[in-house]
């Protein structure tokens, strides 16, 4: 492994490009995480139980496609434009097309069995095939843009800013276009889903193009086809011995559970519990604002105190905020949004640097085994995130069914019972409180890579690579 001295040095172009890549990912991912269940239950009229089954089935498919894609990018010979970058240009258009088909409003007129089949086919093609084929290479690319820990933290920070730049318009624009207020009721306009999917899909295409043009792969990884002695199952066995990877996988599952259930349930809270879906705009602002505040501080705090150390503090604040929100069971939407803001501030740092955790883990794996498996490690982590996404969708779907939520078709208003409304509130607040508590405990007791260890691993690898180059 070596640097290509003929390439321009790492700089702001790479950071902006990497930001654009995650912005592109999240224009479709966050929209699906927040509104797809609503589309299935209140436009297609599908039972929440079927939605939960869909997400669980899709993640079973991901168990093969994610790891398979990781091995593909690790073993294929690089193209002229790199090992990872080519996948951005190959898969950007397919994602745009299948994302639009997922929200194709005329399909709501199909018979129920046909709608369920349509739902399964389009969602799995989007998430398990197309999104996987671009997200795994994109995430793995960070480790070849730079090998400097500080620069990698900057990439993680800008990646999280990219997610925020996608989340903000989704959180602000979508409720304004998707609902109209009639008296005390928020009325869903189902035909707007297709329009929004086209808008956000188009923004995704632009983001992938900019990421491809602005980022540079500087680190030349060895061709895995030329390596011997480490088969796939040997590698998987070695990964499961990586304590840091296992801890961050557990953290990712817990974090995605609480974040995605919170994101997708909040629209039910504001439409059904507070009877004003337009307030979802302020929820989006409360989620995005802490990311803006934390962005200039993330690298400074990380360099001084360590990523693990600062994340522990943040997760403690988030746990207390959502736990308090559950206990007070407020009927005041201002109080609800304010407490959500506190929770988002608490977890803001962890969200900013989470991708730098993965590059630290890749280094840790190389220190332990001598093998560099960027794509495979990222794929395993990506699958854990999708597993968290599936569990979130499954739990949400099953929970909505258990609390008696009544689905609608064509967006008409359905009066939910008081017990159902209380259940919606409890799911939206208790799940994040418990999820962030699990993340906190895993970081404290299971994740071994504190600041001192990370710095030591970087020094070991620099010396090792220097000796290999001689």
């Amino acid at each position: 492994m070596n640097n290509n001295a003929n390439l321009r040095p790492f700089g702001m172009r790479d950071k902006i490009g990497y930001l654009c890549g995650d912005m592109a990912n999240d224009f479709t991912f966050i929209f699906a995480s927040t509104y797809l269940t609503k589309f299935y239950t209140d436009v297609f009229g599908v039972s929440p139980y079927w939605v939960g089954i869909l997400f669980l089935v899709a993640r079973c498919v991901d168990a093969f496609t994610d790891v398979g894609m990781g091995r593909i990018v690790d073993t294929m010979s690089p193209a002229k434009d790199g090992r990872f970058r080519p996948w951005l240009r190959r898969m950007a258009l397919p994602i745009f097309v299948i994302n639009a088909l997922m929200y194709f409003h005329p399909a709501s007129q199909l018979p129920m069995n046909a709608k369920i089949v349509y739902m399964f086919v389009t969602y799995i093609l989007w998430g398990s095939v197309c999104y996987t084929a671009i997200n795994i290479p994109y995430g793995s690319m960070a480790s070849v843009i730079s090998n400097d820990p500080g620069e990698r933290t900057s990439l993680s920070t800008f990646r999280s800013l990219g997610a925020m730049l996608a989340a903000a318009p989704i959180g602000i624009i979508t409720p304004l276009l998707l609902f109209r207020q009639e008296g005390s009721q928020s009325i869903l306009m189902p035909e707007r889903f297709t329009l929004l999917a086209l808008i956000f899909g188009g923004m995704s295409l632009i983001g992938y193009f900019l990421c491809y043009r602005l980022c540079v792969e500087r680190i030349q990884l060895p061709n895995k086809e030329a390596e011997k002695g480490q088969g796939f199952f040997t590698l998987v066995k070695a990964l499961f011995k990586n304590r840091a990877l296992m801890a961050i996988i557990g953290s990712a599952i817990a974090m995605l559970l609480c974040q995605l259930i919170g994101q997708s349930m909040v629209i039910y809270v504001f439409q059904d519990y507070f009877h004003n879906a337009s307030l979802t705009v302020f929820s989006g602002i409360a989620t995005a604002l802490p990311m803006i505040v934390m962005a200039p501080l993330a690298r400074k705090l990380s360099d001084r105190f360590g990523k693990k150390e600062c994340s522990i503090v943040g997760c403690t604040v988030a746990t207390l905020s959502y736990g308090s929100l559950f206990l007070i069971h407020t009927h005041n939407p201002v109080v609800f949004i304010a407490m959500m803001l506190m929770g988002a501030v608490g977890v803001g740092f962890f969200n900013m640097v989470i991708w730098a955790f993965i590059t630290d883990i890749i280094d840790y794996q190389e220190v332990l085994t001598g093998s560099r498996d960027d794509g495979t490690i990222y794929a395993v982590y990506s699958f854990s995130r999708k597993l968290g996404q599936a569990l979130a969708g499954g739990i949400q779907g099953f929970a909505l069914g258990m609390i008696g939520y009544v689905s609608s078709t064509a967006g008409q208003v359905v009066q939910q019972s008081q017990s159902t409304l209380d259940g919606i509130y409890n799911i939206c607040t208790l799940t994040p409180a418990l999820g962030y508590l699990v993340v906190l405990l895993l970081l404290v007791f299971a994740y071994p890579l504190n600041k001192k260890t990370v710095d030591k691993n970087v020094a070991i690898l620099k010396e090792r690579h220097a000796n290999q180059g001689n």
Side-chain angles (χ1 to χ4, degrees):
M1 181 175 69
N2 54 65
N3 286 309
N4 191 331
N6 296 323
L7 298 175
R8 63 172 172 80
F10 178 88
M12 184 57 68
R13 286 180 62 184
D14 297 281
K15 298 176 189 178
I16 297 297
Y18 210 64
L19 176 153
C20 290
D22 205 53
M23 181 180 68
N25 277 339
D26 283 330
F27 266 121
T28 59
F29 180 81
I30 293 178
F31 186 52
S33 299
T34 308
Y35 289 100
L36 190 57
T37 297
K38 189 73 174 174
F39 178 77
Y40 287 149
T41 59
D42 288 18
V43 178
F44 270 24
V46 173
S47 164
Y49 290 110
W50 273 113
V51 180
I53 292 170
L54 166 65
F55 291 149
L56 292 174
V57 169
R59 298 299 80 82
C60 292
V61 176
D62 288 340
F64 298 95
T65 60
D66 277 18
V67 177
M69 192 66 207
R71 294 308 290 166
I72 287 172
V73 298
D74 274 343
T75 56
M76 279 187 65
S77 297
K80 292 181 179 180
D81 46 354
R83 181 181 293 274
F84 304 107
R85 286 176 65 235
W87 293 97
L88 297 173
R89 58 175 169 80
R90 292 167 184 163
M91 298 306 303
L93 186 59
I95 285 183
F96 171 81
V97 173
I98 198 66
N99 178 68
L101 289 175
M102 270 203 309
Y103 302 94
F104 191 53
H105 175 253
S108 64
Q109 303 304 313
L110 295 170
M112 181 55 68
N113 288 341
K115 283 191 287 191
I116 291 174
V117 171
Y118 184 90
M119 181 177 78
F120 271 74
V121 171
T122 54
Y123 180 76
I124 289 174
L125 279 176
W126 170 74
S128 301
V129 180
C130 296
Y131 186 83
T132 289
I134 204 167
N135 184 53
I136 298 298
Y138 163 76
S140 305
M141 190 168 64
S143 61
V144 297
I145 293 176
S146 174
N147 58 2
D148 179 85
E151 292 174 352
R152 288 177 172 181
T153 299
S154 294
L155 287 175
S156 179
T157 299
F158 273 77
R159 174 174 183 164
S160 297
L161 280 175
M164 181 272 294
L165 290 176
I170 291 172
I172 295 171
I173 296 173
T174 304
L176 298 178
L177 292 180
L178 206 55
F179 297 92
R180 70 178 187 272
Q181 196 70 20
E182 291 186 2
S184 61
Q185 298 292 341
S186 294
I187 309 299
L188 179 68
M189 294 182 283
E191 68 280 357
R192 297 286 181 87
F193 271 104
T194 306
L195 173 63
L196 286 165
L198 290 170
I199 292 172
F200 295 139
M203 297 302 295
S204 181
L205 270 177
I206 295 171
Y208 286 131
F209 173 78
L210 291 173
C211 181
Y212 176 81
R213 296 293 298 175
L214 295 176
C215 290
V216 172
E217 294 188 19
R218 295 176 180 81
I219 314 301
Q220 297 179 0
L221 299 179
N223 190 344
K224 289 288 178 180
E225 290 178 332
E227 292 187 4
K228 297 180 180 180
Q230 177 156 313
F232 174 74
F233 291 105
T234 302
L235 172 59
V236 171
K237 183 178 179 180
L239 292 181
F240 275 96
K241 292 181 179 179
N242 186 325
R243 180 183 168 193
L245 180 60
M246 294 299 102
I248 211 67
I249 283 175
S251 298
I253 292 173
M255 183 181 70
L256 265 293
L257 270 173
C258 57
Q259 283 187 336
L260 296 181
I261 288 178
Q263 285 175 6
S264 55
M265 287 300 298
V266 76
I267 185 62
Y268 292 92
V269 169
F270 284 112
Q271 183 181 15
D272 297 305
Y273 184 84
F274 291 120
H275 303 294
N276 192 343
S278 62
L279 291 175
T280 310
V281 171
F282 297 100
S283 170
I285 294 172
T287 302
L289 186 61
M291 305 291 280
I292 300 173
V293 175
M294 292 302 302
L297 302 175
R299 179 170 179 177
K300 294 179 181 178
L301 292 172
S302 176
D303 289 344
R304 182 170 182 180
F305 301 107
K307 293 184 282 291
K308 170 182 174 176
E309 292 80 356
C310 292
S311 297
I312 287 172
V313 175
C315 288
T316 301
V317 173
T319 300
L320 294 175
S321 298
Y322 281 102
S324 300
L325 197 55
F326 168 72
L327 292 174
I328 64 175
H329 205 96
T330 183
H331 291 274
N332 187 330
V334 176
V335 173
F336 187 87
I337 293 170
M339 295 295 286
M340 282 188 64
L341 176 61
M342 289 182 60
V345 169
V347 79
F349 180 87
F350 187 52
N351 281 329
M352 277 287 174
V353 301
I354 183 64
W355 303 106
F357 275 81
I358 304 306
T359 53
D360 290 343
I361 291 170
I362 291 171
D363 286 347
Y364 181 56
Q365 178 72 10
E366 186 177 4
V367 169
L368 291 177
T369 67
S371 176
R372 188 85 183 178
D373 300 289
D374 302 62
T376 304
I377 291 175
Y378 184 85
V380 170
Y381 175 69
S382 177
F383 172 69
S384 73
R385 290 178 64 87
K386 287 189 176 181
L387 181 60
Q389 180 193 4
L391 291 173
I395 290 172
Q396 180 199 359
F398 295 139
L400 282 171
M402 290 178 64
I403 63 176
Y405 183 82
V406 180
S407 298
S408 66
T409 56
Q412 74 264 27
V413 175
V414 175
Q415 285 294 123
Q416 308 293 338
S417 69
Q418 186 58 48
S419 62
T420 298
L421 297 178
D422 290 337
I424 288 172
Y425 181 95
N426 291 338
I427 294 169
C428 192
T429 55
L430 182 60
T431 304
L434 295 176
Y436 287 126
L437 177 61
V438 171
V439 176
L440 170 63
L441 294 175
L442 286 170
L443 289 175
V444 172
F445 297 108
Y447 186 74
L449 302 183
N450 55 26
K451 185 178 186 301
K452 182 178 179 181
T453 304
V454 169
D455 292 342
K456 179 181 177 182
N457 288 342
V458 170
I460 290 172
L461 292 179
K462 281 185 177 180
E463 181 179 358
R464 184 181 296 176
H465 298 157
N467 292 334
Q468 290 173 349
N470 295 331

